[in-house]
């Protein structure tokens, strides 16, 4: 059994052992990688500062974040489906609208024969509004969708990855929207 003095010595040693790692952790945290401050950074319109750098807000793109990304999505599309499980239940054509209310929201006119569906545009770290995500919950039809805007052909195609339930049928499809 420890005496009172031995116990006090053990407590002091334990406290000193804890101070060293905590101090090291705090020094490491404050000097860590790319954690620059935004205090002295002034970003332009449609931008926000993250770790000392200016990035476009969602729905904006371009070197100065001057372009509304939704505008490039607007149009008529031919839809080609490649399903890994289940089958495509949509029409071979669709259209995308933008009502001008929000720079990061577009509307698919008849997504997989389920009527109009709002989708959200997210801006990537390289300031391009090329990321699309949305979910659909319409009774017996539920879907999670993520994708991207592709400019491979110069026309502005869209690639969507869709996981859905239609009643008890589960499906996974990759939809390519070819702009007309």
């Amino acid at each position: 059994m420890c005496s009172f003095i031995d116990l006090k010595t053990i407590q002091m040693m334990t406290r000193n052992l804890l101070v060293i790692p905590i101090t090291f952790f705090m020094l490491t945290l404050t000097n860590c990688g790319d954690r620059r401050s935004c205090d002295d950074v002034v970003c332009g319109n449609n931008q926000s500062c993250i770790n000392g750098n200016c990035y476009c807000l969602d729905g904006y793109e371009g070197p100065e974040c001057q372009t509304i990304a939704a505008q490039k999505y607007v149009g008529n599309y031919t839809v080609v489906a490649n399903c890994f499980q289940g089958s495509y239940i949509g029409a071979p054509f669709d259209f995308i609208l933008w009502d001008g209310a929000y720079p990061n929201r577009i509307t698919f006119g008849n997504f997989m024969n389920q009527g109009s569906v709002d989708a959200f545009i997210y801006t990537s770290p390289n300031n391009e509004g090329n990321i699309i995500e949305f979910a659909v919950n319409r009774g017996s039809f539920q879907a999670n969708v993520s994708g991207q805007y592709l400019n491979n052909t110069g026309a502005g195609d869209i690639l969507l990855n869709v996981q859905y339930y239609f009643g008890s049928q589960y499906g996974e499809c990759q939809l390519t929207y070819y702009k007309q």
Side-chain angles (χ1 to χ4, degrees):
M1 187 162 221
C2 293
S3 69
F4 180 72
I5 295 171
D6 290 339
L7 185 56
K8 199 170 197 173
T9 304
I10 290 170
Q11 287 174 337
M12 285 177 49
M13 287 174 51
T14 304
R15 193 173 332 132
N16 287 340
L17 287 174
L18 287 175
V19 169
I20 293 170
I22 290 172
T23 303
F24 176 77
F25 175 76
M26 293 304 289
L27 287 172
T28 303
L29 186 63
T30 57
N31 294 324
C32 202
D34 195 17
R35 302 232 190 271
R36 291 176 278 177
S37 172
C38 289
D39 294 341
D40 298 327
V41 177
V42 178
C43 295
N45 290 334
N46 309 319
Q47 297 179 336
S48 66
C49 182
I50 300 170
N51 293 333
N53 295 311
C54 294
Y55 295 99
C56 295
L57 297 173
D58 286 334
Y60 292 96
E61 63 183 4
E64 301 298 321
C65 306
Q66 74 283 4
T67 304
I68 296 174
Q71 295 171 338
K72 70 183 178 186
Y73 291 90
V74 174
N76 294 312
Y77 291 84
T78 300
V79 182
V80 176
N82 181 16
C83 294
F84 311 106
Q85 186 170 349
S87 59
Y88 179 60
I89 58 174
F93 300 101
D94 201 353
F95 58 95
I96 296 177
L97 304 171
W98 177 57
D99 66 6
Y102 299 97
N104 68 327
R105 186 178 73 192
I106 55 177
T107 302
F108 284 78
N110 190 21
F111 181 75
M112 293 182 76
N113 287 335
Q114 299 301 309
S116 63
V117 175
D118 287 338
F120 298 92
I121 302 168
Y122 297 97
T123 302
S124 66
N126 58 349
N127 287 335
E128 294 177 343
N130 291 346
I131 302 166
I132 306 168
E133 292 183 357
F134 61 98
V136 182
N137 189 357
R138 300 251 168 90
S140 63
F141 181 80
Q142 289 119 25
N144 287 315
V145 184
S146 64
Q148 61 185 346
Y149 179 88
L150 307 170
N151 203 17
N152 300 343
T153 63
D157 301 329
I158 301 170
L159 182 66
L160 298 177
N161 296 306
V162 182
Q163 295 178 324
Y164 72 91
Y165 280 98
F166 189 59
S168 61
Q169 176 188 2
Y170 175 77
E172 286 185 38
C173 297
Q174 190 172 65
L175 308 180
T176 305
Y177 276 59
Y178 294 101
K179 197 167 196 177
Q180 302 303 300

